[in-house]
Amino acid sequence: MQVTNQMIAKDMRIEGILWRTFVHLNSVKKFERAQKIISHLKGKAPKNPNVEMQQINIPGNDGNVIRLCVYTPKNRRSDTSMTGLLWIHGGGYAIGVPEMENITIARFIDVHDTIVVSPDYRLSLEAPYPAAVDDVYTSLLWMKANAPSLNMNSNQIFIGGESAGGGLTCCVSALARDRNEVNIAFQMPLYPMLDSEMDTPSMKNNNAPVWNQANNNAAWKQYLGINYLSNSVSPYASPSHLKSYEDLPPTFTFIGDIEPFYDEAMTYIKNLNKADVQTDVHVYHGAFHGFDRTAPHSGEAKQATEVMLRAYLEATKKYFKTNS
């Protein structure tokens, strides 16, 4: 899908033009440069005065150490155990740190008493699939095991993330279902990166701002390594390969209609619906990838954020799944 400037929503058009002109994350070298810049965010807590952040190191499965950013409210509304949210940063599986998500995480905590765990999972620049999935799933198991000490309601564990974090959300939800070690009550994969085959109409020739087909090719190639564009890609790497959508968690998402992930996200939602999984999807016309972050003052971004937080609050009232 070729995206002209006129196709971009008017109140985010300037940001879109600037991004597509100056930012091109379409090679390993550019991923590495971006990560050097992003790494300066490590250890920086949210500016929100109601949110505390601590860093905890836990062992990974490969002799590695996973750094977790754990966020809690300073002024809780009640003494009951809190909702647990595993929130996963984006970055095409190649770049990013949890602190990129500080603003979004603080918003969830402001809406409802929540303990948020955000893992600094291994990036594809360091190790290809399945490293990221292993680290995120290990973080999920850590949440369940430590729910009492974290004052977390072990029967209300949610998971979510943006872009590649949304993709990892869907991967880990499927993995948790299949391994039957932890029950996830609700998922929020926002504009998720799901399809390694990259052959949908919205992906082909997409040149939209922030993320496009060229970026996506480079990211999947780095993440999948020798399995890039092969017939042996695991559904825990690319959820578009899932055979069954039964018993996956109730799902909320939003996405723009000019971004490359539009079709794959909508297909995922349709497959959930066919499996009788409850879904709530919101589409924003003329919105490019990550518009809520890169054009936060646009009407579309404000609406998407408001709808997301309302959906999150509603989910805390209705979605529970027992963990023993």
Side-chain angles (χ1 to χ4, degrees):
M1 176 174 63
Q2 289 284 312
V3 177
T4 65
N5 289 338
Q6 288 67 36
M7 292 169 66
I8 303 171
K10 287 183 179 180
D11 56 353
M12 65 176 74
R13 192 169 294 165
I14 292 176
E15 290 91 344
I17 292 171
L18 289 172
W19 271 87
R20 78 190 311 176
T21 301
F22 296 108
V23 182
H24 303 281
L25 295 172
N26 53 15
S27 71
V28 172
K29 285 186 177 181
K30 290 178 180 178
F31 289 147
E32 290 172 342
R33 290 172 191 161
Q35 184 60 19
K36 284 183 180 180
I37 297 171
I38 294 169
S39 293
H40 291 295
L41 295 174
K42 284 188 175 183
K44 293 187 178 180
K47 295 180 180 179
N48 188 313
N50 185 43
V51 179
E52 292 182 316
M53 185 192 87
Q54 61 175 318
Q55 300 176 74
I56 298 173
N57 291 327
I58 65 171
N61 291 329
D62 297 325
N64 61 307
V65 174
I66 307 167
R67 182 178 69 98
L68 303 179
C69 292
V70 181
Y71 303 79
T72 53
K74 287 183 180 179
N75 301 304
R76 293 176 56 192
R77 297 169 177 82
S78 71
D79 293 330
T80 59
S81 57
M82 294 179 285
T83 300
L85 174 61
L86 181 66
W87 192 256
I88 311 162
H89 72 78
Y93 304 105
I95 62 176
V97 294
E99 291 86 348
M100 290 168 47
E101 304 293 327
N102 278 355
I103 293 175
T104 299
I105 288 169
R107 285 170 173 161
F108 288 130
I109 293 173
D110 278 341
V111 165
H112 178 76
D113 285 345
T114 305
I115 181 162
V116 183
V117 176
S118 191
D120 193 4
Y121 58 87
R122 282 171 292 171
L123 302 171
S124 62
L125 293 174
E126 177 184 356
Y129 171 84
V133 175
D134 282 349
D135 289 354
V136 175
Y137 187 73
T138 298
S139 303
L140 177 67
L141 293 179
W142 179 88
M143 286 178 68
K144 176 189 173 183
N146 291 275
S149 62
L150 293 169
N151 202 9
M152 178 192 302
N153 183 348
S154 63
N155 297 327
Q156 194 171 60
I157 296 177
F158 293 174
I159 184 171
E162 300 173 329
S163 190
L168 284 166
T169 294
C170 298
C171 294
V172 171
S173 288
L175 190 59
R177 175 200 63 184
D178 296 344
R179 291 187 178 176
N180 198 28
E181 294 179 308
V182 57
N183 291 320
I184 297 172
F186 178 68
Q187 66 171 351
M188 300 184 76
L190 307 182
Y191 38 86
M193 182 176 175
L194 302 172
D195 189 353
S196 63
E197 294 184 1
M198 300 173 282
D199 61 356
T200 63
S202 67
M203 177 62 68
K204 290 180 178 178
N205 301 312
N206 190 295
N207 63 337
V210 179
W211 198 256
N212 55 39
Q213 185 186 38
N215 302 150
N216 210 51
N217 272 318
W220 277 115
K221 186 175 183 180
Q222 181 69 17
Y223 185 55
L224 296 178
I226 61 172
N227 289 319
Y228 173 66
L229 296 182
S230 76
N231 294 321
S232 58
V233 176
S234 167
Y236 306 133
S238 174
S240 62
H241 293 267
L242 280 170
K243 301 299 182 184
S244 170
Y245 292 77
E246 303 284 341
D247 298 321
L248 287 173
T251 302
F252 170 88
T253 189
F254 68 78
I255 194 164
D257 66 356
I258 63 171
E259 79 141 271
F261 296 153
Y262 174 76
D263 286 333
E264 58 201 69
M266 298 304 290
T267 297
Y268 181 77
I269 292 296
K270 289 177 183 177
N271 287 330
L272 289 175
N273 290 337
K274 289 178 183 177
D276 293 324
V277 175
Q278 187 170 350
T279 64
D280 183 13
V281 57
H282 295 258
V283 177
Y284 294 92
H285 182 62
F288 47 79
H289 187 70
F291 65 97
D292 58 317
R293 300 171 63 88
T294 53
H297 301 297
S298 66
E300 291 80 5
K302 291 178 180 178
Q303 183 181 359
T305 300
E306 180 182 343
V307 168
M308 175 189 71
L309 294 175
R310 188 164 59 241
Y312 179 73
L313 180 60
E314 186 65 24
T316 65
K317 298 175 182 177
K318 64 189 290 190
Y319 294 126
F320 300 85
K321 203 160 185 180
T322 302
N323 278 293
S324 57

